Amino acid sequence: MPLQPAPSPQDLAMNNPNKVALFWLTTAAGAVLFVTFQLFFYVNDFVRAQGTTPAITFEPGVLWMFSAFYGCWIVTVLIALIGTRTSQWVVLVLGSLLVVLNTLGGIADGLRDGWYLAFSAIFFITLPGVFAIAVTWRHINSKGNNHVYQ
């Protein structure tokens, strides 16, 4: 039986599904920060205009959509924790879709309400999202023993 060299710490880190989940969790936290800042900017503009800006009201169905949409971020992180090759593909597709949709929504809001919202979307969602996509892709393409029993 030939002796195999022990895997290097770098190889172990690259094949760790927790690392992928941590990158997606960071992106999810960025999406929450973006929405929080967006609400603060709106309330600030509302107070500055002394209540003359039109109030935004939402139907209950729309509020459920917001909850479901932002809840998908946590679902992405939980699926990433599974660590199988199939789950990583699901995370890559779902996470990439969420990054693109949130970025486009943030840029559209930025065009309507101010450049600082577009910058916030790019900084808090797109930047960590690109890193999460890259790490997930590297994890899928890694050649290791962690994909043997899937």
Side-chain angles (χ1 to χ4, degrees):
M1 175 158 88
L3 293 176
Q4 295 179 351
S8 70
Q10 184 179 10
D11 291 336
L12 290 175
M14 280 308 300
N15 293 328
N16 189 354
N18 294 338
K19 180 180 178 181
V20 174
L22 184 61
F23 273 90
W24 285 110
L25 184 62
T26 304
T27 308
V32 169
L33 277 174
F34 168 73
V35 170
T36 304
F37 283 159
Q38 185 178 20
L39 290 173
F40 282 143
F41 291 144
Y42 177 77
V43 169
N44 189 38
D45 289 343
F46 184 78
V47 169
R48 189 178 304 146
Q50 298 175 352
T52 58
T53 59
I56 297 176
T57 58
F58 296 106
E59 298 291 323
V62 173
L63 290 176
W64 277 106
M65 277 301 284
F66 281 130
S67 299
F69 181 72
Y70 283 101
C72 287
W73 282 108
I74 282 301
V75 171
T76 304
V77 174
L78 292 174
I79 293 172
L81 284 172
I82 295 171
T84 63
R85 191 173 186 86
T86 305
S87 68
Q88 296 302 317
W89 275 106
V90 171
V91 166
L92 183 64
V93 171
L94 179 62
S96 299
L97 183 66
L98 285 171
V99 168
V100 168
L101 289 176
N102 276 277
T103 300
L104 291 176
I107 290 173
D109 290 341
L111 292 174
R112 182 188 67 219
D113 298 332
W115 63 269
Y116 45 86
L117 281 178
F119 174 77
S120 296
I122 292 169
F123 186 74
F124 289 120
I125 300 169
T126 309
L127 185 63
V130 167
F131 283 105
I133 291 168
V135 166
T136 306
W137 182 250
R138 286 182 80 184
H139 187 264
I140 289 171
N141 287 335
S142 68
K143 307 281 191 242
N145 293 334
N146 62 338
H147 299 305
V148 172
Y149 299 107
Q150 299 175 20

